[in-house]
Amino acid sequence: SISRLLYLLQQETSSTELRTECAVVLGSLAMGTENNVKSLLDCHIIPALLQGLLSPDLKFIEACLRCLRTIFISPVTPEDLLYTDATVISHLMALLSRSRYTQEYICQIFSHCCKGPDHQTILFNHGAVQNIAHLLVSTSYKVRMQALKCFSVLAFENPQVSMTLVNVSVDGELLPQIFVKMLQRDKPIEMQLTSAKCLTSMCRAGAIRTDDSCIVLKTLPCLVRMCSKERLLEERVEGAETLAYLIETDVELQRIASITDHLIVMLADYFKYPSSVSAITDIKRLDHDLKHAHELRQAAFKLYASLGANDEDIRKKIIETENMMDRIVNGLSESSIKVRLAAVRCLHSLSRSVQQLRTSFQDHAVWKPLMKVLQNAPNEILVVASSTLCNLLLEFSPSKEPILESGAIELLCSLTQSENLALRVNGIWALMNMAFQAEQKIKSDILRGLSTEQLFQLLSDSDVNVLMKTLGLLRNLLSTRPHIDHIMSTHGKQIMQAVTLILEGEHNIEVKEQTLCILANIADGTTAKELIMTNDDILQKIKYYMSHSNAKLQLAAMFCISNLIWNEEEGSQERQDKLRDMGIVDILHKLSQSSDPNLCDK
């Protein structure tokens, strides 16, 4: 029957009334199950309806658009079907002026089919902003609402669209002012939320300043209102997620939000679903609550993560909220990957606090579930979880010991071999933190776990971040004399090769400075010194850097020299003679005349 309807719809010889009725019946079918929509798609309904839009008859066009709208809002319809033919978008833009129905349906189609930057760019280049802006002041609420939704998806994470919107005006009023009017308390919630999303996107794109009154006095309070108990669960989810995005990178907004309407306490309520069911009549509500429960937890974790991103007092407030640490720990083992990711993000945000690492993190043995999360998790979770682990491995963190005992070295060494850059950085960074002021056994375990091949692999990594962290690890491994001598006795040859490799390579000042500092540490060893003194190539390099144009490198090179010549140490006379013969004293004379006071003193 579908194919028969489609046949009649496409017959130019059928009467317009019949073709319109066919479009209406097909639209009704599309409102049924997802399987209905699949059957319609299999019969190529979309090209047939798009063809129908070329008809001169407005009623028929509206029926086709209504049916297209119903099909495109179904989750089984691929959005790309709207973009296969470039002329379709232009034609839809032209049809926007025909009636309030074409306006409503076309805006709805656009907002459902605009997924990601490619779609945004296509719509933007076809004049979406100019064509849709005036619909924000339409007499029809549905048209205003669908136009607003269009702007919210067009501007999302899109600086180009956001920067354009700021300067567009309708009837002498700029769009941001129109959006602000739409988020007043007397407007429907859907409208308040969507305009808050538009303003949030514009603010994050830098089109509106974070201290602009339309953000501080209008958008932020509106989003906090959306988190309150009076709102529907889905509104609370959207409100919290949007607010988390708005304040994510701005300390001042984080502070303002944290003291607006007791937000931190209000969010604790997000964890209380599904609520206990008293009567059997509540089964429907239970089903609804269950569906939204994990979305609520995810949204709350995200917002807590944003709130606590920078401010110590806010982190303290969050952690002191009822059972907060238990909730995060439970979140780490939830079945929903989205909740797990949000919980890890929240933990990561709170782990930036020295105070909390020493107290709450310790009391709740947070490292246990965290180590569990790190076992075969997907990359997006691994990146945040390994960043959190980096913080838990800082020297003042009491979690450092138990983490080591639970196989962390092996896990981190495997991260350094990842294809994913962020994971390589975090793996080596965590090892660097772990090696800081560590006992010799830990240092030896790290070197064993990494293997010399992997160390060289990391030292020749194309990313400077990986390289710097690897040098940082080496520097931490080679600290305190007995450790320096021990490590250089087992790995001296390879480490000296690595140092040579980097001092000869094309690297920036920071990298070379870090490498010279490693040499200075080696020069501080008792037996390790000899590895430098018997290596003329390295001695020449130190001499070269003493006369370098960059003062940082000159200072680092002089540290190497001063560690080699201490009078109290055995063999210092021979070492001084050798360096004197190399012309080091002459360079020192010259440097003592330097205009740089640091160089001069040294």
Side-chain angles (χ1 to χ4, degrees):
S1 66
I2 292 180
S3 48
R4 179 83 186 129
L5 284 166
L6 273 172
Y7 170 77
L8 291 170
L9 177 92
Q10 288 168 283
Q11 279 309 97
E12 300 286 339
T13 52
S14 310
S15 72
T16 316
E17 285 75 31
L18 177 62
R19 293 171 77 193
T20 306
E21 281 306 314
C22 288
V24 170
V25 175
L26 287 165
S28 301
L29 285 172
M31 285 180 176
T33 63
E34 292 187 354
N35 281 335
N36 285 12
V37 178
K38 281 182 185 153
S39 314
L40 291 167
L41 290 171
D42 292 341
C43 295
H44 306 293
I45 186 169
I46 291 185
L49 291 167
L50 290 174
Q51 194 55 41
L53 299 181
L54 299 172
S55 154
D57 186 281
L58 183 58
K59 283 279 166 274
F60 178 53
I61 290 174
E62 289 173 351
C64 289
L65 281 171
R66 191 180 306 119
C67 185
L68 276 167
R69 181 269 323 257
T70 307
I71 287 169
F72 273 120
I73 62 179
S74 163
V76 298
T77 310
E79 295 84 21
D80 283 328
L81 291 173
L82 184 68
Y83 303 96
T84 38
D85 176 354
T87 60
V88 169
I89 305 288
S90 316
H91 189 58
L92 288 171
M93 292 291 176
L95 288 174
L96 274 171
S97 57
R98 295 294 296 275
S99 74
R100 50 167 282 209
Y101 295 111
T102 64
Q103 292 168 349
E104 180 193 333
Y105 304 143
I106 291 170
C107 284
Q108 204 171 352
I109 290 169
F110 284 161
S111 59
H112 271 278
C113 294
C114 183
K115 300 272 193 278
D118 294 348
H119 294 167
Q120 288 172 329
T121 303
I122 294 170
L123 292 171
F124 180 78
N125 290 342
H126 277 88
V129 173
Q130 293 69 23
N131 284 303
I132 297 172
H134 67 97
L135 303 182
L136 289 170
V137 296
S138 162
T139 51
S140 152
Y141 171 75
K142 283 181 173 174
V143 172
R144 289 202 301 279
M145 197 53 234
Q146 293 306 334
L148 185 59
K149 280 189 174 161
C150 254
F151 282 126
S152 115
V153 294
L154 279 171
F156 182 66
E157 291 187 359
N158 191 314
Q160 185 191 24
V161 174
S162 296
M163 288 298 190
T164 308
L165 291 184
V166 177
N167 302 312
V168 172
S169 62
V170 180
D171 298 348
E173 200 168 17
L174 287 168
L175 283 195
Q177 295 167 307
I178 294 177
F179 293 148
V180 166
K181 279 187 176 165
M182 289 176 146
L183 50 75
Q184 287 167 344
R185 287 165 187 262
D186 59 343
K187 296 287 185 288
I189 295 299
E190 170 187 43
M191 184 171 266
Q192 290 186 45
L193 246 176
T194 314
S195 47
K197 279 168 122 174
C198 292
L199 288 159
T200 294
S201 289
M202 291 163 78
C203 179
R204 282 300 304 265
I208 300 176
R209 290 170 49 125
T210 51
D211 57 2
D212 190 302
S213 64
C214 77
I215 298 297
V216 178
L217 301 178
K218 303 288 185 189
T219 311
L220 187 146
C222 167
L223 289 168
V224 174
R225 281 202 305 276
M226 296 302 148
C227 298
S228 77
K229 254 184 159 154
E230 285 68 67
R231 302 271 53 88
L232 297 172
L233 298 187
E234 39 272 67
E235 291 163 358
R236 294 170 77 181
V237 168
E238 211 172 331
E241 295 220 341
T242 308
L243 183 55
Y245 180 54
L246 174 66
I247 67 174
E248 190 179 13
T249 55
D250 190 272
V251 196
E252 212 27 60
L253 290 179
Q254 289 157 12
R255 290 190 182 128
I256 296 167
S258 74
I259 54 169
T260 304
D261 296 352
H262 308 290
L263 176 64
I264 291 177
V265 179
M266 190 150 66
L267 283 177
D269 193 67
Y270 278 45
F271 296 94
K272 299 190 178 151
Y273 295 88
S275 38
S276 48
V277 177
S278 48
I280 205 81
T281 50
D282 278 354
I283 287 297
K284 227 177 168 160
R285 204 188 82 211
L286 173 72
D287 191 50
H288 176 256
D289 284 9
L290 271 171
K291 203 174 94 205
H292 290 288
H294 63 269
E295 291 177 8
L296 281 162
R297 289 196 291 279
Q298 179 192 345
F301 282 140
K302 276 188 186 169
L303 184 43
Y304 277 138
S306 282
L307 282 163
N310 297 288
D311 187 292
E312 201 50 49
D313 295 336
I314 299 177
R315 289 186 197 126
K316 194 167 175 305
K317 265 194 202 161
I318 292 171
I319 285 176
E320 285 167 358
T321 307
E322 50 176 326
N323 313 334
M324 195 57 211
M325 286 313 269
D326 295 330
R327 294 209 166 112
I328 296 176
V329 167
N330 293 337
L332 293 176
S333 54
E334 281 212 26
S335 56
S336 154
I337 184 163
K338 288 181 166 171
V339 177
R340 282 207 307 279
L341 179 58
V344 174
R345 280 206 180 128
C346 183
L347 189 65
H348 179 238
S349 190
L350 300 172
S351 76
R352 295 186 178 132
S353 156
V354 178
Q355 189 51 42
Q356 299 310 334
L357 284 175
R358 286 184 173 161
T359 51
S360 322
F361 275 57
Q362 192 52 14
D363 303 341
H364 290 80
V366 166
W367 61 270
K368 275 186 192 158
L370 186 67
M371 287 296 288
K372 212 167 139 191
V373 164
L374 282 159
Q375 312 300 329
N376 53 48
N379 274 0
E380 53 177 345
I381 287 187
L382 270 181
V383 170
V384 192
S386 55
S387 274
T388 312
L389 193 61
C390 283
N391 292 343
L392 290 182
L393 286 168
L394 287 161
E395 83 280 6
F396 46 71
S397 162
S399 313
K400 192 167 173 174
E401 291 306 310
I403 290 175
L404 285 169
E405 286 154 25
S406 65
I409 293 181
E410 207 179 335
L411 178 99
L412 295 168
C413 289
S414 69
L415 286 185
T416 66
Q417 298 176 19
S418 169
E419 293 287 303
N420 180 304
L421 171 61
L423 288 178
R424 285 205 305 283
V425 171
N426 287 349
I428 196 71
W429 194 341
L431 287 169
M432 178 183 107
N433 286 350
M434 191 185 273
F436 184 74
Q437 293 180 353
E439 55 201 68
Q440 190 170 306
K441 184 188 173 311
I442 293 173
K443 293 182 176 181
S444 301
D445 288 350
I446 291 175
L447 270 171
R448 237 200 324 280
L450 259 188
S451 83
T452 320
E453 295 79 43
Q454 181 54 13
L455 197 60
F456 274 103
Q457 197 67 50
L458 291 164
L459 288 171
S460 50
D461 198 286
S462 57
D463 184 81
V464 70
N465 237 330
V466 174
L467 178 53
M468 281 299 280
K469 297 284 179 275
T470 310
L471 291 170
L473 168 66
L474 271 176
R475 194 173 168 179
N476 286 348
L477 290 171
L478 294 165
S479 63
T480 72
R481 266 194 197 157
H483 295 185
I484 295 170
D485 290 333
H486 175 76
I487 288 172
M488 291 308 286
S489 69
T490 54
H491 291 78
K493 193 171 150 232
Q494 295 94 325
I495 289 175
M496 294 305 281
Q497 267 178 323
V499 166
T500 311
L501 186 86
I502 288 177
L503 289 177
E504 283 175 357
E506 290 290 316
H507 294 291
N508 67 27
I509 300 292
E510 281 67 33
V511 168
K512 300 230 164 167
E513 182 189 17
Q514 189 75 290
T515 310
L516 286 167
C517 290
I518 291 171
L519 262 185
N521 283 10
I522 296 170
D524 196 34
T526 308
T527 53
K529 279 187 176 42
E530 287 316 305
L531 285 162
I532 296 178
M533 290 309 300
T534 54
N535 187 327
D536 287 341
D537 184 23
I538 285 282
L539 287 172
Q540 287 301 330
K541 286 190 167 56
I542 295 174
K543 179 181 172 181
Y544 163 77
Y545 283 109
M546 284 178 74
S547 308
H548 197 276
S549 56
N550 184 288
K552 278 183 175 173
L553 296 184
Q554 289 178 284
L555 270 174
M558 274 195 284
F559 266 110
C560 296
I561 298 293
S562 66
N563 282 346
L564 290 171
I565 59 174
W566 285 113
N567 280 328
E568 305 80 76
E569 290 170 7
E570 201 181 323
S572 61
Q573 209 46 56
E574 291 88 334
R575 287 194 293 276
Q576 290 178 14
D577 293 344
K578 180 164 184 178
L579 294 171
R580 197 177 277 111
D581 295 344
M582 278 178 59
I584 298 289
V585 177
D586 308 335
I587 300 177
L588 289 171
H589 272 303
K590 212 159 79 199
L591 288 172
S592 63
Q593 316 296 307
S594 164
S595 55
D596 182 322
N598 288 332
L599 286 179
C600 211
D601 287 353
K602 192 68 185 160

